Amino acid sequence: MLHAEHHTPDTLDLAAIRARHTLLLLGLLWDRDLARVDIARELGLSRSAISSIVTELISVGLVQEVGTRGSGGVGRRATMLNLNTRAATLLAIDLGASHARVDVLDLHCRTLASQTVPHDIMRGPHLTYALLRDLSAQVMQEAGVQPAHVALVGIGVPGPVDHDTGRVVQPPNMPGWDGENIREALQGQLNLEVLVDNDANLGALAEARFGAHRGIQDLIYVKAATGIGAGVLLGGRLHRGMRGGAGEIGHISINEQGPVGRSGNPGSLESYAAAQVLVNHARTLRRQGLPSALPDPITLEALLAHASTDPLARAVWEEAGHHLGVAISTTLNLFNPAAVVIGGRLSQAGDVLLRAVRTSAQSRTMRINADRTRIDLGTLGRDAGVLGAGAMMLDSLFTPRGLPHLYGIARMNQNARDIAASRAPPPAAHATPPLQIPTVSHGGTP
């Protein structure tokens, strides 16, 4: 379900009221196909008001009629309405410490084309922007999408982002990027409007909309990979803090006398449980004589692949899970969420890691904050980044401010389709039109 912005009714003029109703209608159709009578009943509006809005949405190409539904008795058959998910497209970018991925998405955040390549983020902004520009051109060409038909670009990055400006602020895992305005730079490269956020924030959006915990209003997503960050969803909205730095769980000290991590904080979670720290720790355990069949030198890939079968790997993940659980217990006591979801590369360690996290977190959490909270592994895998970017873009477009832009893109796409149809050769005189069997979709998410 798409979430429209909330406003106090007595401050709305008629245009704003209509925009609000339009967004609620689009939110219903994002979930499933409906007839006008269904929409009128769910929104508590008159049939004439719904018909007026639907006519407008059809005219710009955002909604289409997709057959009829029987009434179950004598009477008119109801015409079904469907959100045209190809009315606009989205460009989703997942930029990690060691990879870059660009997807073209439809309005249900289904991938139309995708490219992923290895990329070291420490190569710096300029080479990264050039790569993202080239990947974007490739996926748009593959999807048959013109840049003018892309409504927004959304990018997640592995560092703190000032949400208002799109500027990276002192990112521990992105050397050479401090102060870089990613939004401004990418807009210049792509000539498209760009939204930027931290990758853990986008992971929270993705899991709440597309994952196993979809619809949960209070959720914390912990991304554990090269670095460790958290996205905090409270009341269905991201809690970014004043500038966008909320959720930096990796830089919380879990042992003030411990080793210094990348952030410079002694005993931070990242100094115990980040990817390279775990690899180095595994190699130390081998030198100390802990038995293992892992190849030498030990790699992260080997630790993940043999997490439940190799004694050394199991020891590493149990210890990492313990440290993650200590930090997660803090978030449970602070926010009392309904679910904590662990994603990122390290979550591939599976049940060995998860059991250790649960044991450690629950033993340190007040009962009122632990009893009904689920701690689970993420279900979206490598798609979490692009799905989160897609969710961020939908949350921007399906608002009173974003709706005129969405209309403009949809209308442009509609005009392009009309022109293409007018240029198509007429069907052969002897051809028999295919039988049309309308179908009704009941699912709105991939």
Side-chain angles (χ1 to χ4, degrees):
M1 177 68 182
L2 296 168
H3 302 289
E5 288 184 346
H6 297 283
H7 297 274
T8 305
D10 60 6
T11 66
L12 297 175
D13 58 22
L14 292 178
I17 292 173
R18 183 179 177 87
R20 170 73 171 160
H21 290 159
T22 299
L23 291 167
L24 290 171
L25 188 156
L26 287 171
L28 291 176
L29 291 180
W30 194 89
D31 282 339
R32 65 194 189 281
D33 297 348
L34 292 168
R36 289 169 176 82
V37 63
D38 303 321
I39 297 170
R41 182 173 57 250
E42 293 208 29
L43 297 186
L45 299 175
S46 68
R47 291 282 297 275
S48 61
I50 294 300
S51 292
S52 173
I53 295 172
V54 168
T55 298
E56 180 179 82
L57 290 170
I58 290 175
S59 71
V60 300
L62 268 171
V63 167
Q64 52 198 358
E65 295 180 333
V66 288
T68 59
R69 180 189 65 201
S71 62
V74 178
R76 296 179 59 187
R77 295 172 65 84
T79 300
M80 301 301 294
L81 301 173
N82 167 269
L83 177 69
N84 179 12
T85 59
R86 295 298 299 272
T89 49
L90 311 170
L91 199 61
I93 301 175
D94 175 23
L95 182 61
S98 58
H99 77 275
R101 174 175 170 179
V102 182
D103 282 28
V104 175
L105 308 176
D106 68 9
L107 290 179
H108 269 163
C109 295
R110 291 177 294 219
T111 292
L112 306 177
S114 178
Q115 290 281 346
T116 304
V117 297
H119 176 69
D120 185 351
I121 202 167
M122 288 192 285
R123 296 185 69 189
H126 298 300
L127 288 174
T128 300
Y129 296 143
L131 173 64
L132 296 179
R133 182 191 62 220
D134 293 344
L135 291 176
S136 298
Q138 290 175 32
V139 292
M140 284 189 285
Q141 182 178 20
E142 183 182 339
V145 169
Q146 298 296 320
H149 298 157
V150 175
L152 281 175
V153 179
I155 177 171
V157 300
V161 176
D162 186 323
H163 185 67
D164 291 336
T165 65
R167 191 179 298 277
V168 180
V169 181
Q170 198 178 357
N173 299 306
M174 299 173 66
W177 287 78
D178 186 24
E180 181 67 25
N181 192 319
I182 295 177
R183 175 188 295 167
E184 187 177 278
L186 265 186
Q187 285 180 169
Q189 291 279 339
L190 302 176
N191 199 27
L192 293 166
E193 186 176 347
V194 175
L195 303 178
V196 187
D197 208 338
N198 170 264
D199 56 0
N201 283 345
L202 298 190
L205 291 179
E207 288 289 347
R209 179 165 291 163
F210 301 106
H213 297 291
R214 75 183 60 174
I216 284 184
Q217 300 289 293
D218 297 283
L219 177 147
I220 294 175
Y221 174 82
V222 178
K223 182 174 182 181
T226 303
I228 304 173
V232 181
L233 200 68
L234 301 176
R237 295 181 179 274
L238 273 178
H239 177 70
R240 294 187 173 94
M242 183 178 70
R243 292 186 63 191
E248 289 294 341
I249 190 174
H251 307 295
I252 294 175
S253 293
I254 60 174
N255 175 11
E256 62 183 20
Q257 304 301 323
V260 176
R262 290 192 184 189
S263 65
N265 296 332
S268 68
L269 176 60
E270 281 195 4
S271 67
Y272 286 99
Q276 190 56 48
V277 172
L278 296 180
V279 172
N280 293 339
H281 181 51
R283 293 172 180 175
T284 299
L285 290 178
R286 167 170 272 172
R287 288 194 298 271
Q288 292 174 349
L290 192 65
S292 174
L294 297 179
D296 194 14
I298 294 175
T299 64
L300 180 63
E301 290 74 14
L303 286 171
L304 291 169
H306 301 281
S308 61
T309 57
D310 185 85
L312 187 151
R314 178 182 290 274
V316 167
W317 293 117
E318 287 177 344
E319 192 172 341
H322 166 77
H323 294 309
L324 280 169
V326 171
I328 286 171
S329 71
T330 300
T331 68
L332 295 179
N333 284 323
L334 280 174
F335 299 116
N336 186 209
V340 174
V341 180
I342 303 169
R345 183 79 186 282
L346 304 191
S347 68
Q348 294 174 20
D351 287 343
V352 174
L353 177 72
L354 181 61
R355 284 194 296 268
V357 170
R358 286 173 172 170
T359 299
S360 176
Q362 290 168 353
S363 66
R364 290 169 170 77
T365 303
M366 293 181 65
R367 190 173 67 185
I368 193 172
N369 294 324
D371 279 353
R372 299 181 185 178
T373 297
R374 295 278 305 275
I375 301 177
D376 293 313
L377 298 175
T379 58
L380 301 176
R382 294 184 175 129
D383 293 331
V386 293
L387 288 174
M392 172 176 64
M393 290 183 277
L394 291 180
D395 285 347
S396 177
L397 289 171
F398 286 81
T399 62
R401 180 176 296 180
L403 193 57
H405 178 59
L406 181 60
Y407 269 34
I409 297 292
R411 187 179 288 111
M412 189 183 306
N413 277 323
Q414 176 85 335
N415 292 340
R417 286 191 295 269
D418 291 344
I419 292 171
S422 69
R423 292 175 177 172
H430 63 276
T432 302
L435 179 64
Q436 297 295 321
I437 304 176
T439 59
V440 178
S441 166
H442 297 285
T445 54

